[in-house]
Amino acid sequence: MALDACHVVTVTPRGRCGPSVISKIAWRKSGELRHSGLMPFVRVQPDDLPRVTVVADIQEAARQIDDPDSFPVVAEMLAGDLRYGWDLEPAEHYLYIPDDATEAVGVLAVDLPTRDNLHLVWAEILVHPDHRRRGHGSAIMNEVVRQTREASRNTIWVSTAEDDQGARKFVEGFGFSYASHDARRRQVLADVDQAAVQRLWSAAQQQAAAYCLERLRPPTADEVLGELVEVTAAINDAPMGDLTYEDEKFDLQRLRDFETALVGRGERAYRVIARDRQTGEVGGHTIVATHPLRPEIAGQGDTAVARQHRGHRLGLLLKIDMMHWLAEAEPQLKIIQTWNNVDNAFMINVNEALGYRLSRIFNMYELRLDRPK
């Protein structure tokens, strides 16, 4: 059973990720934790390569059973995630070692947002396939609830594959309710109908004649990042189902941190923006990143268009220009992966037109806790 924290994808400047930046990342806890049941949860630090490797091994063993179509786990990439997270707020990872075991049999990851959604905990629970149906998943979930209460939060999210009936039964047994769903799609570049894409490109150019495109690589100047705050925040318009959720808050510092984390993780990032020729406003952007340890695969980050700039096919224009750029800059690429809420028909239609095909659907489940009296 694999319970995923969340899915989305994304992106970053040279020179902003030195020791002075990293020292500011607050590791909330370290060492071994024991809750009332005396079951140990050992915090995994990004520099502890042996323990990071154990986490990666458990994730890989679970992946092969639960989601074999997903990409293999790379320990070095995992270490980058543990150190930098998405925007310098990495999730906490723990190895679960029950009292009667000599080695870890599970992994817990918890993400507590600090910029917004302060009521929320995203959790990922993995139990090694060789150790399932022995109560370990329940023990880890109880720790999630304990940490959520300890942090004075009242909402937990976990995700499972839509077709994983065992995982669904497990989370529902803890009181979780279905709240949303996301689809994973992939664009296999060798299968893309390039003539059809060229026709879409020509049509989009005509409708977006009032805009010019700019290509950006990190580091992005603060002046430009400041212009990107509003269009980045436009991602809040995407559907979120029935999840208890507030809009994400974006400012210049968060965009800086996002780029710093990308570079720190070792990713190569590409961003295309559309700028109104008359006003100079940035109307839309799209981001894709790849990693040298997995150079044939890229992850599509946000594609967003500000409300006042919609209706000009900017999303299509941006994504096709990105395809052109990546063909030049990353000719070894074979697959680009993206995630969308299943109800985001507009972006899904764009992706399908560009050759993205459904891989799997994942459901998000939510548990609301009573606030402590």
Side-chain angles (χ1 to χ4, degrees):
M1 163 180 22
L3 301 181
D4 237 313
C6 192
H7 12 259
V8 220
V9 229
T10 263
V11 248
T12 111
R14 239 175 3 255
R16 287 194 186 135
C17 53
S20 61
V21 173
I22 300 310
S23 64
K24 296 178 183 178
I25 301 179
W27 300 105
R28 299 185 185 92
K29 299 177 184 176
S30 61
E32 295 190 2
L33 298 180
R34 289 181 179 269
H35 57 52
S36 57
L38 298 182
M39 290 176 285
F41 289 83
V42 180
R43 176 71 183 273
V44 179
Q45 302 289 0
D47 292 328
D48 189 343
L49 187 56
R51 283 178 172 166
V52 171
T53 301
V54 174
V55 172
D57 289 346
I58 293 174
Q59 289 182 339
E60 176 60 17
R63 181 199 71 82
Q64 292 179 19
I65 299 298
D66 302 320
D67 192 17
D69 192 40
S70 61
F71 302 125
V73 179
V74 179
E76 293 83 356
M77 293 174 67
L78 174 62
D81 290 339
L82 265 64
R83 178 176 295 280
Y84 297 98
W86 183 273
D87 53 8
L88 300 187
E89 293 191 353
E92 301 171 359
H93 285 69
Y94 302 88
L95 287 170
Y96 167 64
I97 310 172
D99 290 340
D100 60 351
T102 58
E103 59 184 10
V105 302
V107 173
L108 166 63
V110 290
D111 186 357
L112 289 78
T114 64
R115 306 176 198 255
D116 46 51
N117 289 282
L118 303 183
H119 64 290
L120 178 62
V121 172
W122 292 3
E124 179 184 35
I125 295 172
L126 293 172
V127 176
H128 193 287
D130 293 344
H131 298 275
R132 293 178 177 178
R133 298 190 179 280
R134 302 178 191 178
H136 299 315
S138 295
I140 300 173
M141 182 64 84
N142 285 331
E143 175 66 8
V144 174
V145 173
R146 188 196 69 79
Q147 289 199 28
T148 302
R149 292 192 185 281
E150 183 179 72
S152 299
R153 303 195 176 204
N154 69 346
T155 304
I156 304 171
W157 289 357
V158 295
S159 175
T160 76
E162 183 182 55
D163 54 357
D164 189 337
Q165 300 304 313
R168 187 185 74 177
K169 183 178 180 180
F170 173 79
V171 299
E172 289 178 345
F174 275 87
F176 283 82
S177 299
Y178 167 82
S180 190
H181 48 185
D182 294 290
R184 180 177 69 199
R185 282 180 169 78
R186 290 176 182 157
Q187 183 190 50
V188 178
L189 296 173
D191 296 340
V192 172
D193 185 339
Q194 296 294 342
V197 170
Q198 184 57 40
R199 290 192 294 271
L200 291 169
W201 170 249
S202 298
Q205 281 185 308
Q206 292 179 12
Q207 292 196 34
Y211 295 84
C212 60
L213 299 180
E214 299 175 17
R215 295 174 174 179
L216 305 175
R217 293 291 313 277
T220 304
D222 280 355
E223 179 182 358
V224 178
L225 284 179
E227 295 180 292
L228 290 171
V229 170
E230 181 180 359
V231 72
T232 301
I235 199 66
N236 285 315
D237 292 341
M240 291 292 291
D242 295 323
L243 292 166
T244 304
Y245 188 71
E246 67 180 28
D247 284 353
E248 291 186 87
K249 297 176 182 177
F250 295 95
D251 56 20
L252 177 59
Q253 187 59 52
R254 189 170 193 177
L255 268 59
R256 286 173 179 157
D257 291 347
F258 172 72
E259 287 208 344
T260 301
L262 255 179
V263 169
R265 295 193 304 267
E267 297 182 44
R268 296 192 294 263
Y270 300 84
R271 188 196 305 259
V272 180
I273 67 174
R275 190 183 293 276
D276 188 302
R277 297 178 188 274
Q278 184 172 358
T279 67
E281 277 188 349
V282 175
H285 79 136
T286 190
I287 304 169
V288 171
T290 188
H291 197 288
L293 294 178
R294 206 154 57 186
E296 296 179 343
I297 299 165
Q300 171 69 62
D302 290 347
T303 298
V305 176
R307 293 177 186 175
Q308 65 272 29
H309 295 279
R310 293 172 186 168
H312 304 284
R313 306 198 79 176
L314 289 184
L316 188 63
L317 189 76
L318 288 163
K319 289 178 74 79
I320 296 177
D321 189 65
M322 179 65 77
M323 291 173 65
H324 293 161
W325 189 10
L326 292 174
E328 303 164 1
E330 302 282 353
Q332 80 289 342
L333 267 184
K334 294 183 178 179
I335 297 173
I336 302 176
Q337 179 168 281
T338 191
W339 292 86
N340 304 104
N341 186 283
V342 174
D343 301 324
N344 192 349
F346 176 81
M347 188 52 65
I348 288 174
N349 288 340
V350 169
N351 288 334
E352 291 278 347
L354 296 178
Y356 284 83
R357 296 296 178 259
L358 181 65
S359 168
R360 204 173 188 187
I361 294 176
F362 293 79
N363 289 344
M364 186 73 77
Y365 291 83
E366 178 177 289
L367 175 65
R368 300 294 303 278
L369 302 177
D370 294 332
R371 289 192 178 276
K373 296 181 180 179

